[in-house]
Amino acid sequence: MSEQDRGRGRPDGCRRALSEAYDTALLDLDGVVYAGGRAIDHAVASLTAARDGGMHLAYVTNNAARTPRAVADQLSGFGLSTTPEDVITSAQAVARLIAEQVPAGSRVLAVGGEGLRVALRERGLTPVDSADDDPAAVVQGYDPTLDWARLAEAAYAVQRGVPWFASNTDLTIPKERGIAPGNGALVEVVRIAAGGTPQVAGKPQPPMHRETVLRTGARRPLVVGDRLDTDIEGAWNGGVDSLLVLTGVTTPAELLAAPPAHRPSYVDADLRGLLRPQPEVTADGAGFVCGGWRAEVAGGELVVDGEGEPLDGLRALCAAAWTAAGGGSCPADPAKALHRIGM
């Protein structure tokens, strides 16, 4: 049953390790497996154990700058045995989307990195650099070396009515030194200059989920990510389950305030969550219990009592907040409750 049909009011439980309950992990990269050039704690050991136990690992990224081979080489450098076929990028998803709408062999103004150009060529399209090259489409993808001149070319093409595409619209991207502007911020620059709205392929849009399933053949996938508005919403849109890990941009407070489409099936601290069962969250009168914690919304406030693992307290709080919010966001301030559980 899809998340839309369930109407998520609490995190799910799972009696088996997630790596046993699902055949394929669709793993985000930035904020999940690594941050900048550093592997996140426990990521390599957890993924290796999941793979050795029979779970297929697919690395799904909205970052369109690098080729699948470059990503696979980086992951292999961390100690994760990875091939280019294990990597699915938003560049591949947007290239397929464009190829379905323009004649074969068309020129495409590519405002992005090498990963975008390789994906376009894979679909028989020809990347060009100028709005004056008579492109049939213009596409933007993340590139940390992007300059004003290339953004201007995109704006000129969009102003002329050339169909506009974007690999993704993530406003930010986690780096070792902090949170940096993402492709969505650069898409906004072109929108401000030229107007209009691009067709978007990356998470959370359906073309990315379609690309991932086509390339992996996943039958029972689990989306694993750190962002509510891309990874988790993408799983919601695709009707599949999801695991949120708290190693990236999402804070516990943001999780408690999540609307239905941003509520994950499971939540855990990091990728070790793949290797263990997930505890049940059960109703208890007006509240919810998980582990040694009980949470409810009383008098307009989130209240939690008990002791035990902080994550169990967070799961109980999610159930209380999401149930009180229904189809919206819980208005209660979570600060005191999060402090009580040690978060």
Side-chain angles (χ1 to χ4, degrees):
M1 184 181 296
S2 73
E3 293 185 26
Q4 292 94 326
D5 294 332
R6 280 195 298 247
R8 187 163 309 286
R10 71 185 82 171
D12 288 343
C14 186
R15 294 183 179 181
R16 293 188 290 163
L18 296 180
S19 59
E20 298 173 359
Y22 298 88
D23 70 343
T24 305
L26 307 182
L27 295 141
D28 183 47
L29 289 173
D30 292 311
V32 175
V33 180
Y34 57 66
R38 178 185 64 83
I40 288 173
D41 292 345
H42 311 295
V44 173
S46 298
L47 292 174
T48 300
R51 183 196 62 214
D52 291 348
M55 190 180 215
H56 178 208
L57 306 181
Y59 300 95
V60 186
T61 178
N62 264 0
N63 188 331
R66 296 185 298 160
T67 65
R69 180 170 295 281
V71 174
D73 287 347
Q74 181 184 15
L75 294 173
S76 296
F78 293 143
L80 289 166
S81 179
T82 311
T83 70
E85 289 72 30
D86 296 325
V87 180
I88 300 94
T89 73
S90 62
Q92 294 171 323
V94 79
R96 187 187 297 269
L97 189 63
I98 295 169
E100 292 171 344
Q101 299 182 41
V102 303
S106 291
R107 298 178 180 182
V108 177
L109 175 56
V111 182
E114 184 61 18
L116 184 61
R117 292 174 174 271
V118 168
L120 291 170
R121 294 188 189 103
E122 184 183 57
R123 291 289 155 207
L125 302 169
T126 303
V128 296
D129 296 318
S130 171
D132 295 334
D133 289 331
D134 194 27
V138 54
V139 58
Q140 285 184 258
Y142 176 73
D143 179 0
T145 69
L146 204 61
D147 59 19
W148 177 91
R150 295 171 70 195
L151 288 172
E153 291 297 329
Y156 300 149
V158 173
Q159 290 169 37
R160 296 173 187 176
V162 176
W164 183 21
F165 298 80
S167 64
N168 67 296
T169 51
D170 295 23
L171 291 174
T172 61
I173 186 169
K175 293 292 186 181
E176 287 179 303
R177 296 172 58 195
I179 303 300
N183 192 56
L186 301 177
V187 169
E188 281 298 294
V189 170
V190 174
R191 185 191 63 78
I192 291 168
T197 302
Q199 294 186 52
V200 182
K203 297 178 286 187
Q205 302 303 321
M208 188 66 174
H209 183 74
R210 179 183 61 158
E211 189 73 21
T212 300
V213 171
L214 285 173
R215 288 179 180 266
T216 64
R219 294 180 179 272
R220 184 162 168 74
L222 177 70
V223 171
V224 184
D226 70 309
R227 301 183 71 110
L228 301 178
D229 59 348
T230 54
D231 305 314
I232 306 308
E233 185 178 342
W236 174 279
N237 290 337
V240 300
D241 289 341
S242 59
L243 167 66
L244 177 78
V245 291
L246 299 175
T247 49
V249 301
T250 298
T251 66
E254 290 168 341
L255 176 61
L256 294 178
H262 290 179
R263 297 172 186 170
S265 310
Y266 312 103
V267 58
D268 218 307
D270 51 53
L271 286 174
R272 288 177 294 180
L274 286 173
L275 305 177
R276 52 195 177 210
Q278 294 292 306
E280 294 284 345
V281 181
T282 58
D284 179 43
F288 295 87
V289 172
C290 185
W293 298 97
R294 183 183 185 279
E296 66 176 300
V297 175
E301 291 189 8
L302 272 171
V303 180
V304 64
D305 194 23
E307 60 182 13
E309 291 292 328
L311 273 168
D312 287 341
L314 180 61
R315 294 176 181 117
L317 283 168
C318 283
W322 296 350
T323 299
S329 296
C330 182
D333 184 348
K336 289 182 181 179
L338 289 172
H339 179 74
R340 174 70 179 81
I341 66 173
M343 286 191 168

